[in-house]
Amino acid sequence: MNEPITVPQANPGAGYRALQPEIDAAVARALQSGWYVLGQEGRAFEADFASWLGTGAAIGCGNGTDALALALRAFDIGPGATVATVSHTAVATVAAIEMVGATPLLLDIEPRLFTLDPAELDAVLTHPPAGLPPIRAVIVVHLYGQAADLDAILPIARRHGVIVIEDCAQAHGAALHGRRLGTLGDVATFSFYPTKNLGALGDGGAVATNDPVRASRVAALRQYGWRTHYVSDEPGINSRLDELQAAILRVRLGHLDAQNARRRTIAAAYDMALAGTAIAPPSRRDGAEHVFHLYVIRVTERDAVQAQLRAAGVGSGIHYPVPVHLQPAYRQRVALGPAACSVTATAAREVLSLPMFPELEDRQVDQVCAALRRL
Ligand SMILES: *Cc1c(COP(=O)(O)O)cnc(C)c1O
């Protein structure tokens, strides 16, 4: 008999309860305002988020997938363009590319760090694959809370005149050489899905950029292409951040840096517990500040390890079990880089995410550590 899971891998309800009085007050304020979509709360959150991030402007939208699509549209990337990204990501990254009518090209990752392999990007930009439209942009995913190798990627992209979009859906507050992710490329996107480091209690997303012209284009595109009410300058979509979510996000943004620090403390405890085992702790990139959206280990006997953890009441997750290029909707159809995503396919068989959220209690962390020491 297994014990019940007493330490889940994620727990968005605990995130709400930890800040319940503040969140409830913010929700009541938004409800009482009588204005529910694109109002004062949304504008205040956009200003707070842009200044916390250190960028010129942030534009709220419906979710992280739309944020990517809006960022692509703001740079006129659509039909007739290829967008390079990774296969080891949330399917949303690739879905957004097809939403705007562009062609995805999926590249392999670095084996220890799980992010885009710069050599693959260099290879496809130097020798573009036959039969694909020109590569106009790369979406760099800062996976699990850690920076991709922007030191290598940015100069390669610049040399080839390719737009760099940072997908920061898992990296709110992470940094590289002391600069926050989401301020280093041409444009950045965020998701506020409830389990993300900065989570709403529903869907939400944002586009961030230092370029005021692109920012105002995104602001128009998210609402039918309006610059003036009821007059579309260009065809847009409806993807707005509502006032309730914006009010909740304002509260949670105020706690984000402390919560990321708590995630790092938990990660350090897991690192110590793994030290006596054959399992390596997650690799850290030099110069990068990890925010541990997920704490991911690699194990070859994954089912057995998961069962052992479960027997100790410890939940775990797999992010992601099937790489995008092997999923039914995409396989045999999407273009791949020179390595045919072979590192990605191996990683997908081995990755395992341990419990990670800031509300984990010390005794729960101890319970996970005890289970890890027995692996
Ligand atoms: C969550 C996530 C998204 C999509 O965000 P949604 O808000 O769910 O649309 C995109 N990219 C990555 C890497 C994600 O983790």
Side-chain angles (χ1 to χ4, degrees), residues 277-288:
T277 73
I279 299 169
S283 299
R284 271 66 152 189
R285 185 182 298 288
D286 285 343

Side-chain angles (χ1 to χ4, degrees), residues 3 16 32 49 81 94 96-97 120-121 177 181 192 196 211-212 218 228 238 268-269 282 305 329 336:
E3 299 195 14
Y16 165 58
Q32 286 298 336
F49 188 70
V94 181
I97 296 170
E120 285 257 306
L121 182 65
H177 310 306
L181 302 185
F192 305 125
K196 310 285 185 181
D211 177 338
V218 169
T228 332
N238 174 8
V305 170
L336 303 180

Side-chain angles (χ1 to χ4, degrees), residues 63-65 68 89-90 92-93 141 167 169-170 191 193 196 203-204 320:
N63 55 66
T65 313
L68 283 164
T89 182
T93 313
V141 182
D167 181 345
Q170 303 192 4
S191 163
Y193 185 76
K196 310 285 185 181
D203 276 313
Y320 295 92

Side-chain angles (χ1 to χ4, degrees), residues 52-316:
W52 169 85
L53 188 63
T55 194
I59 304 95
C61 65
N63 55 66
T65 313
D66 285 353
L68 283 164
L70 288 165
L72 289 164
R73 288 269 325 257
F75 284 88
D76 295 301
I77 291 161
T82 293
V83 178
T85 191
V86 286
S87 184
H88 189 64
T89 182
V91 73
T93 313
V94 181
I97 296 170
E98 293 201 332
M99 264 172 73
V100 302
T103 303
L105 168 62
L106 303 186
L107 305 178
D108 217 347
I109 53 171
E110 299 182 73
R112 286 178 334 107
L113 293 153
F114 302 113
T115 50
L116 175 64
D117 180 352
E120 285 257 306
L121 182 65
D122 196 34
V124 294
L125 290 174
T126 309
H127 303 286
L132 285 186
I135 301 169
R136 298 263 332 273
V138 56
I139 301 178
V140 176
V141 182
H142 301 304
L143 202 73
Y144 303 152
Q146 178 156 249
D149 188 1
L150 289 178
D151 290 337
I153 293 166
L154 289 174
I156 294 169
R158 297 278 177 267
R159 204 159 60 236
H160 292 272
V162 162
I163 305 297
V164 175
I165 300 172
E166 297 180 75
D167 181 345
C168 298
Q170 303 192 4
H172 317 73
L176 186 62
H177 310 306
R179 293 177 62 193
R180 285 218 153 121
L181 302 185
T183 61
L184 300 168
D186 295 293
V187 59
T189 64
F190 291 84
S191 163
F192 305 125
Y193 185 76
T195 57
K196 310 285 185 181
N197 289 40
L198 178 59
L201 299 174
D203 276 313
V207 177
T209 177
N210 257 321
D211 177 338
V213 176
R214 307 285 175 189
S216 85
R217 185 135 182 236
V218 169
L221 286 168
R222 74 169 163 184
Q223 183 169 235
Y224 317 121
W226 289 353
R227 285 177 194 279
T228 332
H229 254 63
Y230 312 121
V231 183
S232 297
D233 269 3
E234 61 177 325
I237 61 174
N238 174 8
S239 181
R240 299 176 291 218
L241 181 66
D242 70 66
E243 291 285 281
L244 282 177
Q245 300 308 333
I248 292 164
L249 287 165
R250 288 177 71 190
V251 171
R252 298 192 86 164
L253 180 61
H255 297 272
L256 178 57
D257 291 331
Q259 293 189 337
N260 282 341
R262 172 69 183 156
R263 286 173 185 267
R264 277 194 289 273
T265 301
I266 296 166
Y270 292 173
D271 288 349
M272 293 251 291
L274 287 171
T277 73
I279 299 169
S283 299
R284 271 66 152 189
R285 185 182 298 288
D286 285 343
E289 186 161 352
H290 203 315
V291 290
F292 290 97
H293 171 58
L294 294 168
Y295 185 99
V296 177
I297 55 173
R298 282 187 85 140
V299 286
T300 43
E301 303 294 316
R302 182 167 64 194
D303 291 348
V305 170
Q306 243 187 329
Q308 247 180 294
L309 292 173
R310 196 182 308 114
V314 174
S316 57

Side-chain angles (χ1 to χ4, degrees), residues 307-371:
Q308 247 180 294
L309 292 173
R310 196 182 308 114
V314 174
S316 57
I318 299 171
H319 302 90
Y320 295 92
V322 185
V324 176
H325 73 284
L326 298 178
Q327 297 188 17
Y330 299 96
R331 73 181 168 223
Q332 317 284 315
R333 186 170 76 73
V334 284
L336 303 180
C341 290
S342 62
V343 176
T344 295
T346 309
R349 285 193 293 272
E350 298 181 353
V351 288
L352 187 65
S353 308
L354 301 182
M356 180 53 82
F357 51 93
E359 297 78 21
L360 275 174
E361 293 166 23
D362 287 342
R363 61 178 178 77
Q364 292 180 301
V365 175
D366 292 345
Q367 186 180 334
V368 178
C369 288

